[in-house]
Amino acid sequence: MLALKPALGLPWRGVVFLGWFGPVGVSALFYLTYSQEEGVRDPRLWAAGSLVVAASTVVYGVTAMPGRRWYARQSSVSGR
C-alpha cells in the first residue's frame, strides 16, 4: 500500500486502513504454493503459513468493525 499511495491519491489514514485490512491470507497462500513449486518441501513452512492465515483471519475479524467505525468517524471529522 505504501508503494501505491501516490498512484491511489489516498491520505495516510486511507493507506493505513487498506494496508491493515489487505489480503494477507491470499498472499501467504500464494507464496507457500510458489515455494512448493520451487522445491521447498519443509512441512513447517506450511504450518507457519497456515498459522499466519488463521491469525490474520482472527485479527481481522476482531478489529474489522471497530476499525470501520473509527475510519467513518475520522472521515466525517475531516469533512471527506
Side-chain angles (χ1 to χ4, degrees), residues 30-71:
F30 169 80
Y31 286 115
L32 286 171
T33 303
Y34 179 75
S35 65
Q36 188 174 19
E37 289 174 1
E38 291 297 312
V40 178
R41 300 280 187 244
D42 189 352
R44 294 177 295 178
L45 183 64
W46 278 96
S50 299
L51 180 62
V52 167
V53 171
S56 172
T57 302
V58 169
V59 169
Y60 174 79
V62 169
T63 62
M65 188 56 71
R68 189 190 67 76
R69 287 182 182 144
W70 174 84
Y71 187 77

Side-chain angles (χ1 to χ4, degrees), residues 1-10 12 15-16 18-19:
M1 289 310 305
L2 293 176
L4 291 175
K5 183 188 181 312
L8 295 173
L10 293 173
W12 280 108
V15 171
V16 170
L18 289 175

Side-chain angles (χ1 to χ4, degrees), residues 11 13 70-80:
R13 181 178 62 245
W70 174 84
Y71 187 77
R73 277 195 312 271
Q74 295 300 315
S75 295
S76 66
V77 169
S78 67
R80 290 185 180 193

